[in-house]
Amino acid sequence: MTFYHPNLRSLRDAAVAGCDMCRLCWTAIVQRNNAEDIDAVLAGRCPESQGGQPLHDERVWLTGYFQDNFRGRGTPGSGKVAADRGSEVRVGCGNKDDPEATISNPVLEGVLSVFADPGTPAASRFVERYITANRNPDGHIEFARALLNVCTKNHPECGLVDADTMPEMPTRVLDVGTSPGSMKLVLARQRGLREPYLALSYCWGQGVRDATELKDENITSLLEFIDEASLAATQQECITIARQLGIRYVWIDSLCIIQGNLADWTCESMGMAQVYGNATLTIIAARSADSRLGFVANRLEQAAPPCALPFGRKDENGRDMGDIFLCLQRSRGGGPLNARGWCFQEGVLSRRKIIFEVQKVYYSCQRSERWEDGALDESDRLRAQLFQSIPQNSLGNPDTNARNQKLERERLRTQMLDLWYKKILFSYTQRHLTNPFDIFAAISSIAQLAKQTIGSRYLAGIWEGDMVRGLLWQTWFSFRAKSKRNLGPIISPLISIEPRRPTDWNGKTVVRAPSWSWASIQGEVHERSTPRNKAQYQNPSNFLIRPKPKQQMSDTQNDDDPGAQTWTALNSPHCDADVLDMTACELHFLGRPKHVRLFQVKSDTALADILLSWPVGHPLCRQGRRLAGQGYMAILEPTEREYDQLDKLGLLPFEDNPSTGAKSAAISPASTFAVACFDIAAERVGVTDCWFLPLLKEIWEGLLLYKDPSDKKFRRLGIVAAVKKQFLPWMVFGPEEEVHLV
């Protein structure tokens, strides 16, 4: 800890006077703290949130946290990954106590990142780099080469099952040679090539359409020669990186899939697991929204430029280490590519990737993630989980092994379903597709891998073997109130988008999936189960719907497992993980739909007031109090056709009629029993009568449905949570009936 300024006023004034280091430290303080707290410290007192009393110490201190002695020489080590946030210097100011006599936190704090320039003595000790268009513009090559070298040599989990055999290549690749002027398309699989290759994940924008594309009419000429000048900037930069890394072959979609050829597109789209999974490295151009713009140059301009800082140490040979540099912290994430649906699958399937984010570059493999600023984290290993398999044990009692494998298979199945709901579906539905009908194609390779472990049909995004939990998907707006946003230009998938029906290029609403599928909407989707209640979603004894018994089905029904029950109608089209178009798929099962209506209230405020008076037993009820003003919520009550059942169960409320002295049914509001959340707020308008289909006991959740009078089939409107427990017997009362859900 080093004294730097007597107080914050002195630091500010020095920054204004032109001192670069003071400007850097002052900017770090301003960026990390709110204006009210800064004004308080400038006035010599604690912020009101910390008592408002005079500061005991106003001095500004610099404290260094250097990681050079606690890590390897610039590369992730083998074995378990130890998290590393990178070297940094903290700027602290203002203290209630004496910082030299006590351990106490400063009132204000800013953080500066440390880096070393390549080729300097300090670069041998510090892995942190600063790669921009104006400083170390080719640093991404050194960064990628070093980490790729360590990964291929020391990370067996990042390789293939057969480490001695080169992986199968895609149908077509680009042979980029070692220098410009000789690039051509190669039929790699036809020629039996097995060589390292690089894959590209990027936003097309208008750039690809203005550049050379592979088409039926030019494939012969492209097999002879491709003019690099006719390619988009992003494609050219990717090819340059491949040459600099010594990788001769490159896969780029618009040049390796025949554009305008549906048969070729369908075939190649289903093989993305191999295309990206077998690539030696995937380049992810996250920071670029259009391939005309390129992605390598980082044009970051921070509020204050980096500054040199004498390190004051010597290396192992006694040489002075020279200067290190301080800069403002750079943020992670962001970039147009992070909001693209196709690119989610491409990133997940890649074994190794280098990601060009908005402010910095990072390398990710199956073991770790290393950022250019030195930060190191453990990889999420999502790809490894998709490729997991049951270990084979040939020793011991065969019966015991069979039992163990059955238990292991069930464990992996449960784990994969959790992965699907909590990570894959959650992340994928945050993203946008230019062509809305790509919703299943853009995740097909992931679904095919997941199916190997889950072992059931994939019905328009929902696993048949976990139908009840799958049907209970919810939009983000059923979790908590969020600011409504239009789709517009998205730069981050973390921006919450108001759910809506998908539209085509002309803004016309389209149907791309059955109403019961999460793919029927555009917007972030969640599944609400938690470790505490997950078993209730998986226990068949809690289910209130079931497939029709086998004897009620045709013996000729098409099913992957002839002995298994199926949830689909006899005439429903084929649905599964390798099907790219599942616009229509009809579910056919047994359940007890209840005819209900929306309880009419004068305003959303009145609706929120009613919910406030209800027991807080279900999260949907709690969230409904905040969501009421956004048009999603409704309160349900039974209609007259349900009175007979309610009366038999003693659940129909009555009241005295003052004029006649007789008792009459007191339906509203005494019989309100559940809260509903519409998937799309606009679809609540004009709805009065609808249907509640209970799906799950214990949690007492179900679907809000509309019944089409023309075909008597149901369509999903949203979800329902039954809140008043006295009505629970009614939900399971009466005979089952056939439900057709489309």
Side-chain angles (χ1 to χ4, degrees), residues 526-653:
H526 292 248
E527 184 270 334
R528 194 187 285 275
S529 69
T530 65
R532 180 177 297 179
N533 66 13
K534 184 171 64 176
Q536 297 169 350
Y537 286 84
Q538 299 171 328
N539 185 355
S541 65
N542 282 333
F543 300 165
L544 296 175
I545 60 172
R546 62 188 178 93
K548 294 181 65 176
K550 187 68 176 179
Q551 60 268 24
Q552 297 184 28
M553 296 181 178
S554 167
D555 293 335
T556 61
Q557 177 144 357
N558 181 22
D559 193 5
D560 290 343
D561 179 4
Q565 294 177 324
T566 179
W567 290 82
T568 53
L570 297 178
N571 60 350
S572 187
H574 175 59
C575 293
D576 218 329
D578 59 352
V579 178
L580 306 186
D581 181 4
M582 292 183 275
T583 303
C585 182
E586 181 178 330
L587 299 184
H588 193 189
F589 54 87
L590 299 177
R592 296 181 178 87
K594 304 296 181 181
H595 197 218
V596 296
R597 60 172 164 245
L598 273 58
F599 177 63
Q600 300 302 310
V601 292
K602 295 181 179 179
S603 65
D604 289 328
T605 301
L607 175 61
D609 291 341
I610 294 175
L611 291 173
L612 283 171
S613 68
W614 281 20
V616 189
H618 193 280
L620 192 59
C621 185
R622 293 194 297 271
Q623 302 298 344
R625 297 167 185 176
R626 296 198 291 269
L627 285 165
Q630 294 196 343
Y632 290 91
M633 307 307 297
I635 293 175
L636 303 182
E637 61 181 355
T639 63
E640 287 78 0
R641 66 181 295 167
E642 302 292 339
Y643 290 178
D644 184 54
Q645 286 190 0
L646 290 168
D647 193 27
K648 290 179 180 178
L649 294 169
L651 298 175
L652 190 64

Side-chain angles (χ1 to χ4, degrees), residues 157-338:
E157 65 269 39
C158 300
L160 300 170
V161 176
D162 187 354
D164 298 326
T165 303
M166 288 301 299
E168 184 178 43
M169 298 181 76
T171 306
R172 310 173 191 92
V173 293
L174 304 174
D175 182 350
V176 303
T178 57
S179 61
S182 61
M183 187 172 73
K184 61 183 178 180
L185 184 69
V186 175
L187 304 179
R189 196 168 296 171
Q190 186 181 97
R191 292 174 52 180
L193 287 178
R194 287 181 177 266
E195 298 288 342
Y197 68 93
L198 185 150
L200 174 64
S201 176
Y202 66 118
C203 286
W204 281 24
Q206 188 59 38
V208 167
R209 296 307 181 193
D210 294 337
T212 295
E213 296 179 287
L214 177 61
K215 297 181 179 180
D216 285 309
E217 55 266 30
N218 68 359
I219 187 169
T220 301
S221 64
L222 296 188
L223 287 168
E224 297 293 330
F225 174 72
I226 298 175
D227 180 10
E228 290 183 43
S230 69
L231 304 184
T234 290
Q235 298 169 336
Q236 294 184 42
E237 290 178 353
C238 172
I239 291 165
T240 299
I241 291 174
R243 292 187 180 123
Q244 291 173 317
L245 293 177
I247 298 175
R248 179 175 173 177
Y249 298 98
V250 173
W251 188 91
I252 299 176
D253 53 4
S254 67
L255 293 164
C256 297
I257 300 175
I258 303 174
Q259 304 302 300
N261 186 320
L262 180 59
D264 192 66
W265 177 85
T266 301
C267 178
E268 295 299 316
S269 295
M270 293 174 60
M272 291 299 101
Q274 288 72 40
V275 169
Y276 285 95
N278 290 347
T280 299
L281 180 69
T282 298
I283 301 293
I284 298 184
R287 63 172 59 135
S288 178
D290 193 312
S291 56
R292 292 175 295 184
L293 305 176
F295 65 93
V296 168
N298 180 358
R299 295 179 174 82
L300 173 68
E301 293 185 5
Q302 296 186 300
C307 291
L309 179 71
F311 188 45
R313 293 187 190 175
K314 298 183 182 298
D315 64 14
E316 296 87 349
N317 299 318
R319 295 177 301 178
D320 190 278
M321 296 291 290
D323 291 341
I324 56 175
F325 294 87
L326 303 182
C327 66
L328 296 173
Q329 282 193 311
R330 291 163 288 166
S331 62
R332 294 184 183 181
L337 195 74
N338 290 343

